[in-house]
Amino acid sequence: MIEKRCVSLSADHDHPVSFDPTVAEADRHDQAPAAGRAVRIGVGGPVGSGKTALVAALCRALADVDLAVVTNDIYTTEDAEFLRRAGVLDPARIEAVRTGCCPHTAIRDDITANLDAVDSLAERFPGLRLVIIESGGDNLTAVFSRGLVDHQIFVVDVAGGDKVPRKGGPGVTTADLLVINKTDLAPLVGADLGVMSGDAHRVRNGLPVVLQSLVDTPDAPAVAGWVRDRL
């Protein structure tokens, strides 16, 4: 692992920064006990990669599952409102978190607001089997704390270019499932799906990869099947 020393402009100490694209920052929280509660699945990825559209597709595909959703936005409740307008769930089953800070802070560093949202849903719907927690749009380093979620999905999109998977980053390399989204756009942006798939499998060391287009398969069958397996 390559390490350099980085000096913070706002502090009087330095701290190590890893440039290994497979290494995430240390998780500050212990893994949450899973007994007696809903399974929690996090959905992260860059801005515009299609996270909210995927969450909506999962809500439709898993309509027989007692589920709820927590969305994260920095300043607004836009993603929650999108899901409510789409009619994919009872609006009472959608909680919005406004992080007021970098999205990864609320899913990894200080997870209190998201845990409060999950607890509110659990109190409102005691039979919950699944809670999907959508991160705000972030970069390739964004991963969820295992104190918040049991499993993580990371979404990248073809429009970002076929170089994205080989850039790595803990989101790409360590998430339990990587989704390469919007494959229908590949001919329009000159992206090579073979390259993207090959690079993704290479950097993920056997962890699963799904290529999908919600235009072609609106119910996201491969991802929905993966989620069902987690239940």
Side-chain angles (χ1 to χ4, degrees):
M1 182 176 69
I2 302 171
E3 274 197 350
K4 293 188 177 181
R5 304 294 287 182
C6 177
V7 178
S8 170
L9 298 179
S10 60
D12 58 1
H13 63 279
D14 60 348
H15 55 89
V17 175
S18 172
F19 289 90
D20 183 335
T22 67
V23 175
E25 291 183 17
D27 195 337
R28 301 182 184 185
H29 308 280
D30 294 332
Q31 187 160 356
R37 63 162 173 81
V39 173
R40 305 174 194 160
I41 294 182
V43 178
V47 173
S49 58
K51 297 183 297 300
T52 310
L54 174 59
V55 171
L58 291 174
C59 289
R60 295 188 188 100
L62 302 170
D64 59 316
V65 175
D66 195 340
L67 67 87
V69 171
V70 177
T71 65
N72 281 229
D73 282 298
I74 299 177
Y75 301 115
T76 69
T77 59
E78 181 63 32
D79 290 343
E81 294 305 323
F82 174 91
L83 295 174
R84 290 172 181 139
R85 288 193 301 270
V88 296
L89 280 180
D90 174 352
R93 290 178 174 267
I94 303 169
E95 282 284 316
V97 171
R98 288 188 287 187
T99 65
C101 58
C102 292
H104 61 258
T105 302
I107 65 168
R108 185 178 66 211
D109 302 327
D110 182 357
I111 60 177
T112 306
N114 275 294
L115 288 177
D116 287 346
V118 171
D119 287 345
S120 294
L121 289 166
E123 291 174 6
R124 202 175 303 150
F125 303 101
L128 274 181
R129 291 185 61 207
L130 172 65
V131 179
I132 300 172
I133 303 171
E134 180 193 346
S135 171
D138 211 325
N139 57 42
L140 301 180
T141 68
V143 293
F144 288 77
S145 167
R146 294 294 178 172
L148 177 59
V149 303
D150 305 300
H151 312 283
Q152 312 186 38
I153 299 171
F154 197 78
V155 184
V156 298
D157 73 292
V158 168
D162 55 24
K163 65 184 180 296
V164 172
R166 67 175 171 269
K167 285 190 171 186
V172 170
T173 61
T174 68
D176 300 300
L177 177 68
L178 176 68
V179 176
I180 299 175
N181 203 22
K182 306 182 186 179
T183 55
D184 55 292
L185 297 181
L188 303 178
V189 298
D192 187 324
L193 294 178
V195 168
M196 294 191 82
S197 177
D199 287 344
H201 284 286
R202 176 176 55 80
V203 301
R204 285 176 54 75
N205 294 317
L207 290 171
V209 178
V210 166
L211 280 75
Q212 75 171 14
S213 163
L214 294 177
V215 173
D216 299 332
T217 54
D219 55 349
V223 181
W226 182 89
V227 172
R228 285 188 186 277
D229 288 345
R230 308 285 82 72
L231 299 176

